[in-house]
């Protein structure tokens, strides 16, 4: 008789006992008695394990007693009410088969392991409680993001990973080439001749899908991108990675105020969705990672976001009397310490800062009437700081061309982008959100390397 596998998450939610269920997973622990032993089995479907009771009535009982932590097994048995404390169900095994043995040097034994050690075994760490929970929440959060935009009339657009555009103008890009680096073709001036490359010019891994997203927003109205982005920034902080995922909506016929409305609504909605659907996994983080995490998440979901201009924010930081590691001066970017002070101490709420100095922002942001600031905004949350960055885009052709000239950006290279203002230009706005940074906020995890399945950071692949 063949059986269909039933996930442990389903069995633990069962309303009644079940006969002849097939359970397959990995052994977390084994406890022995004279005439029976217990296996704690986990299959990745949820945080909790299912206890399997194996008695002497099982064939090869003595051989099975050698099953070790990390082994994979297949069990057919009956789901019955548990005699032990703290668990509703257990399974009385009828058949047990060892699928894959695990030697005694299996790295994930039943003890606490440091996060640094776990990063060294990123191929095995999803089997650990904490990381299994992180990546189940990551999956749910991803789904919530799609649900938010789909229910609000946005179209999902896949923007290219390989591009000739440097959206941010920072220059920290990974080059993509098929040129032989040992014998590259050279131009008359001795430099590498990229005309002989695969795309006949310099190409890069994308730092953002925004510019291409604007092309679709000015066609379809409301779009979003959600995909991998890359920065060749030699930064080893806990918040930076060389490969990460970005959520980037773009909205036609939209100004900065509406853009802020959308960003704040989005952060609240997806946070509430994860609170509602990932309760058991979140409990691990509430209890063992950050005791104040649940309060902080509720704080963001339940409180209105306070809005303050960049200039007002600088005045508040000056008036605080605090000594900052980085001076809070008008014309400089806000640092994490400034952002956290605004959210956690001054306003005691999430904060949206808007109208930043023109000189510290990219060419595509709309110049305000004062000629000194642009219609840019950042959403700041307690515990993390900036979680969203966005702006109204410059829709006026003459102003955009002047901005490009000021930033030394070639009109020829970006002719397609300029065309969006030449042919039926409209006010439009959007924002970008680092998916992993949002996940750090929701789980309380302190390092971006611990919320990405396989982290790519300087010197580490």
């Amino acid at each position: 008789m063949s059986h269909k596998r039933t996930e442990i998450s389903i069995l633990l939610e069962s309303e009644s006992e079940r006969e002849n269920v097939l359970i397959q997973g990995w052994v977390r622990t084994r406890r022995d008695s004279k005439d029976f032993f217990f296996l704690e089995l986990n299959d990745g479907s949820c945080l909790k394990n299912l206890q399997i009771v194996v008695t002497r009535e099982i064939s090869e009982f003595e051989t099975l007693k050698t099953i070790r932590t990390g082994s994979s097994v297949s069990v057919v048995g009956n789901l019955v009410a548990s005699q032990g404390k703290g668990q509703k169900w257990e399974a009385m095994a009828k058949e047990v088969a060892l699928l894959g043995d695990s030697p005694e040097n299996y790295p994930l034994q039943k003890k606490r392991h440091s996060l640094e050690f776990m990063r060294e075994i990123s191929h095995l760490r999803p089997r650990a409680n904490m990381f299994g929970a992180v990546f189940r929440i990551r999956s749910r959060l991803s789904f919530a993001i799609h649900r938010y935009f789909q229910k609000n009339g946005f179209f999902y657009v896949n923007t290219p990973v390989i591009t000739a555009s440097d959206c941010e103008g920072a220059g920290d890009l990974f080059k993509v080439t098929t040129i032989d680096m040992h014998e590259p073709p050279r131009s008359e001036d001795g430099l590498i001749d990229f005309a002989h490359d695969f795309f006949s010019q310099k190409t890069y891994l994308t730092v953002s899908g925004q510019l291409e997203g604007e092309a679709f927003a000015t066609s379809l109205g409301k779009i979003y991108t959600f995909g991998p982005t890359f920065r060749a920034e030699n930064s080893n902080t806990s918040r930076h990675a060389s490969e990460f995922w970005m959520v980037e909506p773009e909205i036609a016929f939209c100004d900065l105020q509406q853009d802020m409305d959308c960003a704040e609504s989005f952060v609240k909605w997806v946070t509430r969705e994860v609170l509602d659907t990932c309760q058991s996994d979140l409990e691990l983080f509430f209890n063992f990672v950050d005791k104040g995490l649940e309060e902080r998440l509720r704080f963001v979901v339940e409180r209105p976001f306070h809005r303050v201009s960049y200039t007002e924010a600088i005045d508040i930081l000056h008036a605080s009397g605090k000594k900052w590691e980085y001076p809070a001066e008008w014309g400089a970017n806000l640092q994490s310490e400034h952002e956290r002070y605004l959210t956690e101490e001054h306003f005691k709420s999430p904060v949206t800062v808007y109208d930043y100095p023109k000189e510290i922002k990219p060419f595509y942001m709309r110049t305000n009437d004062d000629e000194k600031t642009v219609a840019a905004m950042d959403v700041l949350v307690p515990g993390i700081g900036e979680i969203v960055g966005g702006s109204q885009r410059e829709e006026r052709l003459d102003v955009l061309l002047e901005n490009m000239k000021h930033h030394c950006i070639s009109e020829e290279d970006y002719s397609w982008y300029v065309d969006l203002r030449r042919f039926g230009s409209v006010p439009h706005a959007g924002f970008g959100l680092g998916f992993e940074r949002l996940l750090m906020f929701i789980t309380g995890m302190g390092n971006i390397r611990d919320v990405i399945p396989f982290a790519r950071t300087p010197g580490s692949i």
Side-chain angles (χ1 to χ4, degrees), residues 147-219:
R147 281 193 63 209
Y148 173 84
F149 288 117
Q150 293 292 329
K151 81 183 191 70
N152 284 289
F154 286 72
F155 297 103
Y156 180 38
V157 172
N158 302 117
T159 53
V161 170
I162 299 174
T163 179
S165 303
D166 177 6
C167 176
E168 298 300 319
D172 298 321
L173 299 106
F174 287 102
K175 294 180 177 63
V176 176
T177 182
T178 57
I179 285 176
D180 182 350
M181 290 292 105
H182 297 291
E183 295 184 16
R186 296 196 179 273
S187 57
E188 290 181 4
D189 55 11
L191 299 176
I192 294 176
D193 187 357
F194 286 95
H196 293 276
D197 207 350
F198 189 89
F199 293 105
S200 301
Q201 67 181 99
K202 289 183 180 179
T203 48
Y204 313 96
L205 294 180
T206 185
V207 298
S208 168
Q210 179 203 311
L211 301 188
E212 294 88 350
E214 287 185 53
F216 274 80
T218 52
S219 304

Side-chain angles (χ1 to χ4, degrees), residues 132-330:
V134 164
F135 296 122
R136 280 189 296 271
I137 292 172
R138 184 180 172 112
S139 173
R140 288 285 185 184
L141 180 59
S142 177
F143 183 54
I145 287 166
H146 284 291
R147 281 193 63 209
Y148 173 84
F149 288 117
Q150 293 292 329
K151 81 183 191 70
N152 284 289
F154 286 72
F155 297 103
Y156 180 38
V157 172
N158 302 117
T159 53
V161 170
I162 299 174
T163 179
S165 303
D166 177 6
C167 176
E168 298 300 319
D172 298 321
L173 299 106
F174 287 102
K175 294 180 177 63
V176 176
T177 182
T178 57
I179 285 176
D180 182 350
M181 290 292 105
H182 297 291
E183 295 184 16
R186 296 196 179 273
S187 57
E188 290 181 4
D189 55 11
L191 299 176
I192 294 176
D193 187 357
F194 286 95
H196 293 276
D197 207 350
F198 189 89
F199 293 105
S200 301
Q201 67 181 99
K202 289 183 180 179
T203 48
Y204 313 96
L205 294 180
T206 185
V207 298
S208 168
Q210 179 203 311
L211 301 188
E212 294 88 350
E214 287 185 53
F216 274 80
T218 52
S219 304
L220 304 183
K222 295 195 290 188
I223 66 94
Y224 71 104
T225 76
F226 184 10
T229 53
F230 308 85
R231 300 276 168 92
E233 184 180 1
N234 192 15
S235 178
N236 281 290
T237 77
S238 61
R239 290 162 41 130
H240 290 85
S242 302
E243 175 184 311
F244 55 98
W245 283 62
M246 284 276 282
V247 180
E248 297 180 292
E250 200 69 32
I251 311 164
F253 312 103
C254 178
D255 62 18
L256 184 66
Q257 295 298 316
Q258 294 165 309
D259 197 33
M260 291 191 285
D261 291 343
C262 181
E264 293 168 1
S265 155
F266 168 76
V267 171
K268 281 179 176 290
W269 196 90
V270 296
T271 303
R272 184 183 293 110
E273 189 78 355
V274 172
L275 280 168
D276 290 345
T277 60
C278 300
Q279 211 163 14
S280 60
D281 280 325
L282 282 172
E283 288 294 331
L284 183 149
F285 299 98
F286 297 160
N287 293 326
F288 299 106
V289 175
D290 185 341
K291 298 285 187 184
L293 177 61
E294 183 173 15
E295 182 184 2
R296 199 156 62 243
L297 297 181
R298 301 281 177 198
F299 184 94
V300 166
V301 165
E302 294 165 5
R303 297 194 187 199
F305 286 51
H306 196 97
R307 291 184 186 176
V308 61
S309 74
Y310 168 88
T311 301
E312 291 173 294
I314 293 295
D315 291 341
I316 290 166
L317 295 169
H318 280 167
S320 71
K322 282 183 168 285
K323 287 192 175 181
W324 306 106
E325 183 180 352
Y326 298 94
E329 300 295 341
W330 201 98

Side-chain angles (χ1 to χ4, degrees), residues 59-202:
S59 60
E60 301 183 0
F61 175 80
E62 291 299 333
T63 304
L64 292 170
K65 284 185 75 173
T66 63
I67 289 174
R68 289 178 285 248
T69 297
S71 300
S72 57
V73 298
S74 183
V75 177
V76 176
N78 295 337
L79 187 72
V80 299
S82 177
Q83 303 300 309
K85 290 183 179 179
Q87 54 193 20
K88 182 180 179 182
W89 301 110
E90 63 187 13
M92 299 295 296
K94 293 181 174 181
E95 304 168 21
V96 180
L98 177 63
L99 299 179
D101 196 7
S102 183
E104 291 180 356
N105 63 351
Y106 175 60
L108 292 175
Q109 297 298 325
K110 189 172 181 177
K111 62 178 183 178
R112 283 208 168 214
H113 299 285
S114 71
L115 295 175
E116 290 79 9
F117 171 75
M118 297 297 263
R119 289 173 205 143
E120 295 173 8
I121 54 166
S122 54
H123 56 297
L124 293 175
R125 69 178 181 170
R127 297 189 195 178
N129 283 343
M130 179 182 291
F131 289 96
V134 164
F135 296 122
R136 280 189 296 271
I137 292 172
R138 184 180 172 112
S139 173
R140 288 285 185 184
L141 180 59
S142 177
F143 183 54
I145 287 166
H146 284 291
R147 281 193 63 209
Y148 173 84
F149 288 117
Q150 293 292 329
K151 81 183 191 70
N152 284 289
F154 286 72
F155 297 103
Y156 180 38
V157 172
N158 302 117
T159 53
V161 170
I162 299 174
T163 179
S165 303
D166 177 6
C167 176
E168 298 300 319
D172 298 321
L173 299 106
F174 287 102
K175 294 180 177 63
V176 176
T177 182
T178 57
I179 285 176
D180 182 350
M181 290 292 105
H182 297 291
E183 295 184 16
R186 296 196 179 273
S187 57
E188 290 181 4
D189 55 11
L191 299 176
I192 294 176
D193 187 357
F194 286 95
H196 293 276
D197 207 350
F198 189 89
F199 293 105
S200 301
Q201 67 181 99
K202 289 183 180 179

Side-chain angles (χ1 to χ4, degrees), residues 362-376:
F363 74 94
Y364 53 75
M365 294 188 175
R366 193 182 200 278
T367 303
N368 289 325
D369 293 342
D370 63 11
E371 297 288 332
K372 293 189 292 187
T373 62
V374 289

Side-chain angles (χ1 to χ4, degrees), residues 339-355:
E339 295 168 347
R340 293 190 63 176
Y341 171 78
L342 292 170
T343 57
E344 296 167 26
E345 296 184 50
H346 185 80
F347 290 112
K348 294 184 170 58
S349 75
V351 178
T352 304
V353 181
Y354 61 91
D355 288 351

